[in-house]
Every structure is written in structure tokens, then in C-alpha cells.
Amino acid sequence: VQLQASGGGLVQAGGSLRLSCAPSGSTFSNRDVAWFRQAPGKEREFVAAINWSRNSIYYADSVKGRFTISRDNAKNTVYLQMNSLKSEDTAVYYCATSAVVGSYPEIYNYWGQGTQVTVSS
């Protein structure tokens, strides 16, 4: 499964962006999806995850109340709506998919190429 992440860009602090993730040449059928991010010089960290049926959703404490993960299974796309962005949200954002949902990157076996999000203060 090849994943395409898009929607990154440069935004001022307090602004919003919406990231999208879609598989290329495949579907997200019965698969769970997560977003991770990696800032320069830091380890990759979990951001949010959602299962296929949308009844299990998880967020990192650092983004709760500001980010919303959602999915449109008919459109085969997962979204990450990011509001009230802060400079510390600056990172490359990756989407990943797995047969199980969780916050550990080790459980995700397919990853997208990443999209850069830069928040200026």
C-alpha cells in the first residue's frame, strides 16, 4: 500500500491546515490510519489515529482540542484538521496504516512520504 499525504504548507501561528492521506492503487478498507510527525532533530511522535469504523480515535496530549482526525471511507481518505497551530507543531507529518489502531509506530506497516507543515510565529 502506497500512501499519499498532502495539504502541508506554511501558516502563521493560530492558523489552520487540513492534511489528507489517501492510498495509491489500493484502499483503506478495514485498515486503521494514524498521523505521526517528526521535527528536525527529534524522534517521530504520534499525533492521532482512527480505526476503520471511526469508533476508536486517539490523540496525543499535545494536540487534543486543536486537531481532529476523521475519515471518509467512501472517498478512501483520512484527514487531519489542525487548528490553533503553534510553532511547535512544525514538522513533517506522515500518515501510516495498519490492521490495528494504536499510538506505536511499530504497528504501522505502510507509511506515506510525509508533508511539511511549517508554523511561523
Side-chain angles (χ1 to χ4, degrees), residues 43-95:
E43 293 188 355
R44 189 169 297 189
E45 66 171 350
F46 170 76
V47 177
I50 185 169
N51 71 341
W52 165 253
S53 58
R54 291 167 286 194
N55 58 9
S56 292
I57 294 176
Y58 305 94
Y59 294 100
D61 288 342
S62 58
V63 306
K64 278 181 182 177
R66 300 188 300 120
F67 290 12
T68 302
I69 189 170
S70 63
R71 66 190 299 164
D72 185 335
N73 291 334
K75 294 184 177 179
N76 210 22
T77 303
V78 173
Y79 304 98
L80 184 67
Q81 178 67 44
M82 305 186 295
N83 299 329
S84 302
L85 283 162
K86 306 175 182 179
S87 58
E88 50 263 45
D89 295 318
T90 294
V92 177
Y93 284 71
Y94 300 88
C95 60

